[in-house]
């Protein structure tokens, strides 16, 4: 059983991952009646998976989908799995098919890719998620994310297992006999209603978040003499941009 999700949404952050989870859970419930637990495996990317926002979603998994869940992280550079083979096969076959088509009928958009794959690759289940639907889902999550507390020590652990609605067990290894129980208390609820905001929240640990303060510092100008009062060396900004890419 497999599922490949294709989307025209270009920002791969925790909110978009959550939307893809929603599609995945609907698919699993149709294929596996009586499903009662899901165990996720992923790499430890701090901008998508190993962060406070995804931990908050994991705690709410039972409430959102009626199914318990755990999240386990591969060690660095050890995250290859059958899903990589599915994606690689899809892209290879699509590239070959596109090159064999007339110049005015090539596969050029994510939707073209989905329509072609759904029709031509047997045994592969595909779903298409529009960017507008991802953005709508992210807006719904903004209030939840703004109250998500920090998770101290998450970077050095490789398993997150919810035990109550407000606490998780973090393990250094998935097979560790015991772990560290962490109680997560929500931060104060923001006054503004962020469900109408178009901005997608990014986890604190992501390179994008580290870049924002520098961009803001470069824009501060002393109105008296019209010169910047805080600047960032060009080499430092370039290095951070490379890390974002």
């Amino acid at each position: 059983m497999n599922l490949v999700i294709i989307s025209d949404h270009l920002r791969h952050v925790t909110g978009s991952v959550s939307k893809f989870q929603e599609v995945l859970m609907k698919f699993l419930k149709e294929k596996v009646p009586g499903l009662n637990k899901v165990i996720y495996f992923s790499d430890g990317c701090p901008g998508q998976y190993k962060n406070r926002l995804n931990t908050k979603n994991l705690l709410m998994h039972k409430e959102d989908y009626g199914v318990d869940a755990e999240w386990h992280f591969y060690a660095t550079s050890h995250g290859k799995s059958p899903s990589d083979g599915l994606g690689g096969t899809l892209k290879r076959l699509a590239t070959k098919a596109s090159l064999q088509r007339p110049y005015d009928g090539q596969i050029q958009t994510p939707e073209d890719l989905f329509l072609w794959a759904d029709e031509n690759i047997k045994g592969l289940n595909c779903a298409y998620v529009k960017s507008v639907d991802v953005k709508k889902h992210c807006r719904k999550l903004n209030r939840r994310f703004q109250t998500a507390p920090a998770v101290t020590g998450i970077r050095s652990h490789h398993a997150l297992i919810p035990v109550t609605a407000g606490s998780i067990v973090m393990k250094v290894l998935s097979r560790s006999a015991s772990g560290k129980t962490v109680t997560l208390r929500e931060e104060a609820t923001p006054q503004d209603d962020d469900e109408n905001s178009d901005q997608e929240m990014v986890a604190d640990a992501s390179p994008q978040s580290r870049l924002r303060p520098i961009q803001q510092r470069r824009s501060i100008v002393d109105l008296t003499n019209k010169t910047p009062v805080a600047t960032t060396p060009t080499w430092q900004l370039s290095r951070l941009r490379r890390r974002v890419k």
Side-chain angles (χ1 to χ4, degrees):
M1 184 167 57
N2 59 70
L3 177 65
V4 175
I5 298 176
I6 301 171
S7 176
D8 60 343
H9 191 69
L10 301 181
R11 297 199 66 201
H12 195 192
V13 294
T14 306
S16 52
V17 171
S18 177
K19 177 59 182 179
F20 301 150
Q21 279 182 267
E22 183 180 79
V23 176
L24 172 64
M25 289 305 303
K26 181 179 179 181
F27 172 80
L28 289 177
K29 286 183 175 181
E30 292 176 354
K31 297 293 184 179
V32 187
L35 179 70
N36 54 37
K37 189 171 187 177
V38 174
I39 300 178
Y40 295 97
F41 284 85
S42 74
D43 58 42
C45 176
Q48 300 161 9
Y49 310 117
K50 190 181 278 192
N51 57 56
R52 65 185 180 91
L53 309 184
N54 196 47
T55 303
K56 179 69 173 182
N57 276 342
L58 183 62
L59 285 173
M60 303 293 291
H61 197 280
K62 177 74 171 181
E63 180 178 329
D64 290 340
Y65 308 114
V67 177
D68 292 321
E70 298 179 7
W71 205 295
H72 298 258
F73 303 97
Y74 294 116
T76 302
S77 301
H78 288 74
K80 293 296 182 181
S81 65
S83 61
D84 295 283
L86 288 173
T89 299
L90 170 60
K91 289 183 283 188
R92 175 174 54 82
L93 294 177
T95 300
K96 182 179 179 180
S98 184
L99 291 173
Q100 293 172 339
R101 289 184 170 193
Y103 73 92
D104 57 347
Q106 295 181 350
I107 302 171
Q108 296 185 335
T109 67
E111 188 171 5
D112 290 343
L113 176 62
F114 165 72
L115 294 174
W116 175 85
D118 193 49
E119 180 180 352
N120 292 278
I121 303 182
K122 305 302 180 183
L124 188 67
N125 300 296
C126 294
Y128 183 69
V129 181
K130 295 181 179 180
S131 179
V132 63
D133 294 330
V134 177
K135 291 178 180 178
K136 182 178 179 181
H137 184 79
C138 289
R139 287 195 295 269
K140 290 171 58 179
L141 291 176
N142 273 350
R143 180 166 292 273
R144 174 188 294 185
F145 284 171
Q146 288 208 357
T147 61
V151 185
T152 304
I154 190 173
R155 286 190 176 186
S156 59
H157 292 76
H158 293 83
L160 301 178
I161 305 173
V163 289
T164 67
S167 63
I168 60 171
V169 171
M170 298 195 305
K171 295 184 178 182
V172 175
L173 302 175
S174 294
R175 299 186 64 180
S176 296
S178 60
K180 174 184 177 183
T181 301
V182 180
T183 300
L184 303 176
R185 294 182 175 83
E186 290 189 353
E187 297 179 354
T189 303
Q191 297 296 323
D192 298 329
D193 185 3
D194 291 297
E195 291 185 2
N196 297 321
S197 172
D198 288 329
Q199 183 178 5
E200 299 172 45
M201 290 196 64
V202 180
D204 299 336
S206 70
Q208 291 91 335
S209 294
R210 290 197 293 270
L211 185 59
R212 285 187 192 130
I214 291 179
Q215 291 174 330
Q216 292 169 357
R217 282 163 51 197
R218 286 173 62 89
S219 65
I220 298 175
V221 176
D222 186 345
L223 298 179
T224 304
N225 55 22
K226 306 297 183 181
T227 58
V229 297
T231 59
T232 301
T234 303
W235 65 268
Q236 184 178 355
L237 186 61
S238 299
R239 184 175 65 179
L240 286 175
R241 282 176 176 162
R242 287 198 298 271
R243 293 176 66 182
V244 171
K245 292 178 181 178

